[in-house]
Amino acid sequence: MAEPPATGGSVPLPDGTGRPRSPLREVLADLSAVDGALYAAVAATPTPALDRALRRLSHAADHSKISLAVAAALALPGGRPRRAAAAGVGAIAVASAVGNLLGKRLVRRPRPDREAARVTVDRHVRMPTSASFPSGHTASAVAFATAVGVVLPPAAAPLGMLACAVGYSRVHTGVHYPGDVAAGAVLGLASAATALTVTEALLSRPPSRPRLALALVRPRS
């Protein structure tokens, strides 16, 4: 008589081990599946009116060229706009350093397979050789928009919309998963907070008096 199938045993993993996956790994696997499905959905949706515009936007955002141009324009009048520009550039520096030196080296997520997803050629930009997670373009754009927007509130809405467009353009052109962009946005917010804290601390410090001035006012013995 055949024995009934055993219950409660471990389910083999794809790597051949008999150990069950931890709840955290199961959640991460599900999130990765959703991430891939969103990427595939964007790739499969025809958007000829947007393809070239988003491709150009994604290319223009390389090395934070758009943000740095805006910072240069803000710095011209001086005063609060110049302080906003300084905070924004500082936020970009923090986001770039953390994203490239820490995030990409720790996670090492491969770039999406753009050919397998059949991303139309009209959307293509150069596929970076660095790791996919997090999106550096998004991190820098969000960091700049947040820092500038806090110091100069009228700039918050337009720069925030621009940062969102830059982030989406990286998925639209096929070089990032949506999860990479979401992580980049979180990194951008944290980088802006750091840059704003440092900027405020520097501005609140009393100016040091030059040594020559101290020598002039020091009483002679």
Side-chain angles (χ1 to χ4, degrees):
M1 182 176 181
E3 295 182 359
T7 59
S10 60
V11 179
L13 293 179
D15 60 4
T17 66
R19 294 171 298 178
R21 290 193 297 186
S22 66
L24 176 60
R25 292 186 64 182
E26 290 182 352
V27 170
L28 292 176
D30 289 347
L31 291 175
S32 180
V34 172
D35 203 17
L38 291 174
Y39 177 87
V42 171
T45 304
T47 53
L50 295 176
D51 290 346
R52 293 186 180 181
L54 289 172
R55 182 189 66 190
R56 290 170 182 165
L57 175 63
S58 180
H59 178 70
D62 289 346
H63 308 295
S64 300
K65 291 194 294 284
I66 298 176
S67 297
L68 293 178
V70 173
L74 290 174
L76 292 177
R80 183 178 290 272
R82 181 172 293 178
R83 292 197 298 272
V89 172
I92 291 175
V94 174
S96 298
V98 175
N100 292 323
L101 299 180
L102 190 62
K104 291 182 181 292
R105 294 189 179 186
L106 287 178
V107 180
R108 296 183 181 275
R109 187 183 195 184
R111 292 278 173 173
D113 190 341
R114 190 163 53 183
E115 284 68 29
R118 298 182 180 180
V119 177
T120 179
V121 176
D122 287 341
R123 301 183 183 184
H124 282 199
V125 295
R126 183 183 64 84
M127 179 67 76
T129 58
S130 60
S132 188
F133 184 96
S135 168
H137 284 65
T138 306
S140 295
V142 171
F144 181 79
T146 304
V148 172
V150 169
V151 181
L152 195 65
L159 290 179
M161 290 187 290
L162 177 61
C164 291
V166 168
Y168 174 74
S169 74
R170 301 303 284 172
V171 179
H172 195 84
T173 55
V175 298
H176 275 295
Y177 293 102
D180 304 331
V181 171
V186 173
L187 173 59
L189 292 172
S191 300
T194 302
L196 289 167
T197 301
V198 172
T199 301
E200 183 179 358
L202 292 175
L203 292 176
S204 62
R205 291 175 57 184
S208 59
R209 301 175 66 181
R211 292 184 179 180
L212 178 58
L214 290 176
L216 291 175
V217 300
R218 182 180 299 166
R220 297 182 180 179
S221 56

